[in-house]
Amino acid sequence: MKNIDAYTHVRGESIYLDDIPLIQGTLFGASFGSPMAHGTIVNLDLSEAAAMPGVVRIFTYKDITGENQIGGIVPDEPLLSDQEVHFCGMPVAFVVAESIDAARAAVKKIKATIEPLRVITDPREAQALGELIIPPRTFQLGNTNEAWSQCKHIFEGRADTNGQEHLYIETQGAYAVPQEYQAIKIYSSTQGPTAVQRAVSRVTGLPMHQVEVEVNRLGGGFGGKEDQANTWAALCALAAHLLKRPVKYSLHRMEDMAMTGKRHPYSADFRIGLNEELKIVAYEVTFYQNAGAAADLSPAVMERTLFHCTNSYFIPNVKATAYSCRTHLPPNTAFRGFGGPQGMFMIESAIAKAAETLGIEASVIQERNLLQTGDEFPYGQKAQSEAPECWHKATELYHLTDLRKETTVFNAANKWYKKGLACMPVCFGISFTKTLMNQARSLVHVYTDGSVGITTGAVEMGQGVNTKILQVAAKVFSIQPDKIKIHTTNTFKIANTSPSAASATADLNGKATLLACTAIANRLKKMVAEELSVAEDAITLQDEFVWVNGQKTDRDWKSLVMAGHIKRIGLSEHAHYATPEIHFDATKEKGHPFAYHVYGTAILGVTVDCIRGTYTVDTVKVVHDFGSSMNTAVDLGQIEGGIVQGIGWMTMEEVVYDKEGRLRSNALSTYKVPDIYSVPKEIAIDFLQTPHDNLAIFRSKAVGEPPLMYGIGAYFALRNAVRAFNNKGYFPFDAPMTPEKVLMALYATQQEGIIQPHEETSKHLAVDK
Ligand code: LUZ
Ligand code: MOS
């Protein structure tokens, strides 16, 4: 089935925040962000700005009617700076004017005198100063201290990953409209309507039942609107609440890039030990997460880094510690993968370090250590593993041995071009790591003409969740998709929603919809069974008709529904779903946090131009564990998009802050994302259909985040290509692998590396028994 939005998308008719027809009297907002990353505001001069034509009012923290606080996990984030500023772009004042241009012009006239304080941008520096968001956490399995003595090879090193700009096509924004009795309706481009409702309620002081948040769809979220849509919605709501006029704020791309947080950069130290057979016996890793200036979702992201620190491998002795470090960057936030990719990059770096030093292919180590069913993750859950199946199917189907030979032959024959290959197995846990968030509700109405309307907590952001939810209802009622409509997501219809995130949206909201539709269908079936004096289970709904004992009757869906209404049978249902079986004890760091895991293996091939440092990603060949896909078109789209986004993070996308904490990569001319010319020439995806029962909707496993991590393979494929040209040079594990870094590595020397972004700490500590 096609994505139900395909038609309006290609015709440009889909409605996003900025397409909502304006109500007369609407005002427009723009925010004044701190020009400095850290300091004390000694004077804020709004006089010139306030006198600008069209300016209605300028709001500061003093105007807040509720609490000046939007921190979700930790209350450490003022909506508007009171005295101190903590990052460049931190909102200080909110200008509301008769037009967008007037608001933006006024922002430029605001003058802030700020006494500078020390700016920290490096997480290790923050950690050394004790600047932590939450206390550190450690996940442990076995005993690494005792395990080192069983190792033949021990390697240490450091690895770094950088941030990533979400670059949703639709920027952040909100539109607040005052209602009668002080209520406010807010249209928001958010993944978390309830998060927006809570933030608005807190900032305005209104109870949640006065705050209606409505979302039609998003032009992309990728995690950037899980928490960070709250700011703009709260600013608009506050202004609308006080002015009694509608207020809209749709961010300019440069405002969005400068003021919002991104994927967390991480730095890590690792130590890995292998035995004679290349089994990984022990792994220790310390993560330094660059959280930015406030907690935002950083503690949860850090937790997922720990969950995924051994990726797709079984390691009997693990000790992983993570620090969430407070720096003076915009608060970093959720981004597809949510800390998992960073954890996986570090273990892959450790394996690459071992392979490079031992002079073998990393895939030899990877394959020997794949998770088997029954193996224990460091957090206590036992794996139902598809890792070996994915790996072996991928290496056979795509002829890894031949690919390797071709690469060797090519590299021997070509001096100035080198090819590189890498395998990237992935294992990703499905469920919010916070158990309480794994719940959802669905409201289903069947109307007397047989049409069906559905509202859930799911937010459509291009991922196809509405299409999947529609499929659930179509299947239960056995009616055509055009009889079903998925309505907007709205906090007055569905309450207390979890954000659309964690790859779990179709599972959670789809299961709630399944329960609601089944309840209505069962009432109708019971009615027919009583009429005909047959058993209830003799009645089925099939292809728009009622069937009795496997025989089609002449009663169609529409007349069934009408009959139900006449008999006064409820044609509406509100259902609640909570994922069973999951639990986690944070005092022991053990439990069963995930409903299931998604597995897969990718083989990536690249070619490097050894004169210029430029490269192409030639091929990405994947075997992906779908369980049993309920929509192959949607799922393929998610995988292709995830791969390209993952490759972008690992290769060309480079977030740059200077030492003063100012974003230098602040526009599309200085921040390069993959375009149609830089995506892999070939993406092959094979469906591993697995027979095991699982907790996914119709056994169709979650697909939003896991494929992003295939992109990590691009880093290691490039590394291998570079090493085919120069395997003696200084070459830190430092992503992204931009063409500049490739060029430097191609010509780096051992002693005097051309680039030294950080001290080389790696060394080979062969333990001779
Ligand atoms: N958001 C969240 C997420 O709040 N908790 C999670 O575990 C998560 N995982 C992935 C993406 N977003
Ligand atoms: Mo997300 S990182 O699933 O909002």
Side-chain angles (χ1 to χ4, degrees), residues 191 223 226 334-336 338 501-502 705:
Q191 291 171 244
E226 181 174 335
F335 195 133
R336 203 173 189 175
F338 205 75
E705 294 170 291

Side-chain angles (χ1 to χ4, degrees), residues 641-690:
I643 287 172
V644 171
Q645 198 166 36
I647 291 174
W649 173 52
M650 280 284 114
T651 61
M652 63 178 66
E653 294 183 42
E654 192 171 30
V655 177
V656 180
Y657 290 96
D658 63 22
K659 287 257 177 299
E660 281 73 51
R662 279 184 303 244
L663 182 68
R664 291 306 189 184
S665 53
N666 65 344
L668 292 182
S669 53
T670 46
Y671 185 77
K672 180 75 182 129
V673 287
D675 57 21
I676 195 69
Y677 303 105
S678 52
V679 302
K681 294 203 193 89
E682 179 195 25
I683 297 182
I685 299 162
D686 184 79
F687 286 64
L688 185 81
Q689 302 270 353
T690 54

Side-chain angles (χ1 to χ4, degrees), residues 34-109:
S34 170
M36 287 218 209
H38 193 200
T40 312
I41 302 177
V42 288
N43 187 43
L44 185 65
D45 182 0
L46 305 173
S47 53
E48 201 184 334
M52 293 281 287
V55 172
V56 174
R57 187 163 161 186
I58 303 176
F59 297 90
T60 67
Y61 76 95
K62 292 178 187 150
D63 300 300
I64 289 172
T65 50
E67 204 189 334
N68 182 21
Q69 184 51 248
I70 56 166
I73 300 177
V74 181
D76 66 351
E77 190 176 1
L79 173 67
L80 288 165
S81 160
D82 43 21
Q83 208 143 27
E84 279 211 357
V85 289
H86 301 132
F87 62 93
C88 271
M90 178 175 185
V92 175
F94 185 56
V95 177
V96 172
E98 299 286 349
S99 72
I100 299 172
D101 289 348
R104 288 184 183 158
V107 163
K108 296 202 178 111
K109 302 289 180 190

